Amino acid sequence: MEYLVNEQIDKLKWTNFVENNVLGSPFQLPEYYELYNSLPGYSADVIAIEESGNIQALCVIVLLKESGLKGYFSRRAIIYGGPVLIKEKDFLLDLLLNIINTNYKRKVIYIETRNLESYNSLKNIFQENKWKYESHLNFHLDCSNLDMALKRMHSTRRRQIRSALKNETYIETAQNISEVQLFYNLLKDLYHIKIKKPLMPWLFFKLFFEKQLGVYLLVKYNNQIIGGIMCPILKNQKIYEWYIVGLDKSFKKQYPSVMATYAAIEFGAKNYYTKFDFMGAGKPNNEYNVRDFKSKFGGELVEYGRFLKIFNPMLYFIGKLGLKFIYIFK
């Protein structure tokens, strides 16, 4: 048994391991590791445990921080999707977490998994390594059959989709970088005015398109982009909602946000994917309008949560408080 890092790992073995594992997600693939390492100010590492030349466990760790002075208080690492390992070898998670704890305790303030599949059977191993479990909800939707997906939707959603189509709303895949730029501009306005959280830089969205890591599905009306969704995909299996935007106030009869979500479900069904992952629905005990919006598409509400390892509690508290203040009053 040995562990390998970064360029030591064979990319073909890496891809096959993730794509054929129940815990696999596109965010643990080589392409996403390379994407983050292509962005100024961002980086990613990958750790793999091998036995007899075969990967048994793997984890892509993305390192993030804000620019300037904020950077010192925002040094963090995210494991998007969660670590990937062979089910019958759960003990390897203990080894993987030990490696992570040792290598990152001086690099970041905290590290967090963003689970997209169930890690319930592994919760005790995380907790033994002093990773705290935090409740977090999500929706998974079976998109293998579009007619069935529509039937499971709330009647309001079906009516809105019919109304939007009747009012000449249509969906197209982004064909060029100019359309991606227009989508990004809408998203940037949304994050600045309403969400008030940091948005990935333009280069991130540009490279996602150029490297064909997924699809941009655009909602259009009168040849104008009025909404859209950025969707990573896991080969022949799942489609994900990563970023979504819609000009709902300006185009009330076109329901851009509803149509952007529907676009991903329709794309999944037409391309033989089995699952649409909404990638988050907030904390169970907190009111969350986005969760209410997503719930009406008929998906299954799941709680796969997150695991959090805090290396520096004082800086974690200061950073959380300070960054919240900055984004509220920016």
Side-chain angles (χ1 to χ4, degrees):
M1 194 84 66
E2 63 176 337
Y3 90 86
L4 308 174
V5 297
N6 298 341
E7 301 308 316
Q8 296 174 334
I9 302 167
D10 182 276
K11 289 182 180 177
L12 181 58
K13 288 182 183 180
W14 176 356
T15 298
N16 288 336
F17 178 71
V18 173
E19 289 185 343
N20 293 289
N21 192 291
V22 67
L23 296 175
S25 74
F27 312 102
Q28 293 292 307
L29 288 171
E31 292 82 358
Y32 284 82
Y33 162 80
E34 293 168 355
L35 173 64
Y36 279 102
N37 280 314
S38 300
L39 300 173
Y42 293 80
S43 64
D45 294 323
V46 57
I47 299 169
I49 299 173
E50 280 195 358
E51 184 177 35
S52 302
N54 296 314
I55 296 175
Q56 308 292 301
L58 183 141
C59 186
V60 173
I61 301 164
V62 178
L63 295 113
L64 305 165
K65 65 178 182 178
E66 309 306 317
S67 60
L69 180 61
K70 291 179 290 183
Y72 181 74
F73 296 100
S74 62
R75 293 172 290 125
R76 62 202 187 275
I78 308 294
I79 302 171
Y80 291 105
V84 184
L85 64 152
I86 294 176
K87 187 175 181 180
E88 60 269 23
K89 296 190 176 182
D90 294 353
F91 68 92
L92 290 175
L93 178 60
D94 186 68
L95 177 57
L96 191 62
L97 293 178
N98 190 270
I99 294 168
I100 292 171
N101 289 350
T102 300
N103 291 348
Y104 290 90
K105 62 184 179 181
R106 291 184 177 85
K107 291 182 180 180
V108 297
I109 296 168
Y110 71 93
I111 186 167
E112 178 184 61
T113 69
R114 302 268 177 96
N115 306 335
L116 295 175
E117 300 294 341
S118 176
Y119 287 81
N120 285 342
S121 65
L122 302 169
K123 188 180 292 187
N124 64 314
I125 299 176
F126 276 99
Q127 291 173 335
E128 286 168 4
N129 282 274
K130 305 198 183 310
W131 289 61
K132 177 186 175 183
Y133 177 78
E134 295 191 333
S135 298
H136 206 86
L137 301 173
N138 192 13
F139 286 100
H140 284 180
L141 186 147
D142 181 346
C143 63
S144 57
N145 183 298
L146 185 59
D147 289 337
M148 289 302 298
L150 284 165
K151 286 181 182 178
R152 285 191 290 265
M153 288 183 194
H154 192 282
S155 59
T156 301
R157 284 287 177 266
R158 293 197 299 271
R159 177 184 58 78
Q160 290 168 337
I161 292 167
R162 288 195 300 268
S163 176
L165 294 171
K166 183 179 179 181
N167 283 285
E168 301 179 344
T169 311
Y170 58 100
I171 299 161
E172 288 185 345
T173 303
Q175 298 299 311
N176 53 61
I177 200 65
S178 296
E179 289 193 325
V180 176
Q181 176 78 68
L182 291 170
F183 167 82
Y184 175 75
N185 290 343
L186 295 181
L187 199 61
K188 191 175 180 180
D189 288 343
L190 173 68
Y191 270 68
H192 177 71
I193 296 169
K194 186 174 180 181
I195 296 180
K196 298 185 184 299
K197 289 184 179 180
L199 178 65
M200 294 296 290
W202 158 242
L203 181 61
F204 169 80
F205 294 88
K206 180 174 181 285
L207 291 175
F208 182 90
F209 177 78
E210 293 175 346
K211 294 176 180 290
Q212 299 180 341
L213 300 184
V215 293
Y216 286 98
L217 301 169
L218 306 176
V219 181
K220 294 185 176 182
Y221 173 70
N222 281 346
N223 293 319
Q224 178 184 350
I225 296 172
I226 62 171
I229 186 169
M230 176 188 183
C231 296
I233 54 177
L234 186 65
K235 187 177 180 181
N236 301 324
Q237 297 177 53
K238 307 167 192 172
I239 180 168
Y240 300 76
E241 173 193 308
W242 207 352
Y243 288 97
I244 186 169
V245 65
L247 300 179
D248 297 320
K249 289 185 178 180
S250 300
F251 297 90
K252 294 182 179 179
K253 293 183 179 180
Q254 284 68 39
Y255 299 101
S257 293
V258 171
M259 291 302 291
T261 305
Y262 173 70
I265 297 169
E266 181 187 53
F267 182 91
K270 288 183 176 179
N271 290 278
Y272 308 104
Y273 295 107
T274 57
K275 184 188 291 184
F276 173 51
D277 190 319
F278 284 82
M279 286 188 64
K283 295 180 182 294
N285 298 322
N286 294 352
E287 289 188 13
Y288 191 47
N289 291 335
V290 174
R291 179 166 63 245
D292 296 337
F293 173 83
K294 292 180 177 182
S295 69
K296 291 182 172 57
F297 286 93
E300 176 191 4
L301 183 65
V302 296
E303 187 199 322
Y304 295 153
R306 297 173 175 182
F307 294 103
L308 176 68
K309 176 70 174 180
I310 301 174
F311 295 113
N312 191 318
M314 184 178 70
L315 288 182
Y316 177 80
F317 175 77
I318 293 172
K320 284 287 186 180
L321 184 64
L323 289 175
K324 183 178 181 180
F325 181 87
I326 287 168
Y327 291 117
I328 288 175
F329 294 99
K330 187 175 180 180

